[in-house]
Structure formats: C-alpha cells, structure tokens
Amino acid sequence: MSSTDTTQGIAEDGPRIATHDPEATRKIANRLRRAHGQLAAVIGAVESGEDCRTVVQQLSAVTKALDRAGFLVISTALRECLTDPGAEGSPNPEELEKLFLSLA
C-alpha cells in the first residue's frame, strides 16, 4: 500500500471532508452506527431466510441512513467552506457539488 492510502485503501491525496464541528461529528457517527445496526439486521434476515419483503425494507432503511450521513458530511463541509474558504484541505465548490451529486 502506498503512503497516500489509508488502511481501508482510500486515497488520502484528494479533498478532505473533515468536520471540525463536534456536534456534526456526533450526528454523523450516530447515523453511521444506526446504518451499521440496520445492515447487521439485513444480514441476519438473509441468513435466517426471511422473506424478500423484510430484507428489502431493511435494505431501504440502511440506504436511507447512509444517504443521510453522506448528506450531513457534505452539508457540514459546505458550511465550513463558507465560513473558512481558505482553510487547508477545504474542497472547492465544484468538488462539493461532485460529492453531492455522487449521492443523488
């Protein structure tokens, strides 16, 4: 793995969406924990042979939780970009738009 890769294999040399707002960080982490729990429920439903309706409903919940976390990350970055546009590593508006559209 190169020095620009994290342990998850994601390049670190692109724009970063790091939040400096502790409340936003808490909300994002909570949404991701919720999605994690919902995904565990989907896996359990598949392994136990639940009907497709149950599996799809749970998958839908996971998708919504992940989307909301993603939108919260982007909205937080946008807010921080507007309040401190010159901050090191801040994405520019075009990068934020591209990230937003990747979730849409």
Side-chain angles (χ1 to χ4, degrees), residues 43-62:
I43 293 168
V46 169
E47 291 176 341
S48 67
E50 293 284 337
D51 65 279
C52 68
R53 183 179 302 120
T54 300
V55 172
V56 170
Q57 287 172 338
Q58 290 177 347
L59 278 173
S60 177
V62 171

Side-chain angles (χ1 to χ4, degrees), residues 9-83:
I10 300 170
E12 291 181 348
D13 54 356
R16 295 185 182 168
I17 305 292
T19 172
H20 303 292
D21 177 358
E23 180 63 17
T25 300
R26 185 189 64 74
K27 287 180 180 179
I28 292 165
N30 284 344
R31 288 186 188 273
L32 292 173
R33 282 187 197 94
R34 186 175 304 125
H36 185 264
Q38 290 167 329
L39 183 56
V42 172
I43 293 168
V46 169
E47 291 176 341
S48 67
E50 293 284 337
D51 65 279
C52 68
R53 183 179 302 120
T54 300
V55 172
V56 170
Q57 287 172 338
Q58 290 177 347
L59 278 173
S60 177
V62 171
T63 301
K64 286 178 185 176
L66 290 174
D67 285 347
R68 287 183 178 157
F71 286 124
L72 186 54
V73 168
I74 292 170
S75 70
T76 300
L78 180 58
R79 218 174 315 112
E80 289 180 1
C81 184
L82 291 173
T83 59

Side-chain angles (χ1 to χ4, degrees), residues 80-103:
E80 289 180 1
C81 184
L82 291 173
T83 59
D84 190 9
E88 183 179 334
S90 273
N92 63 44
E94 292 81 20
E95 292 168 320
L96 286 170
E97 179 182 9
K98 184 177 179 180
L99 291 169
F100 176 81
L101 291 174
S102 73
L103 291 175

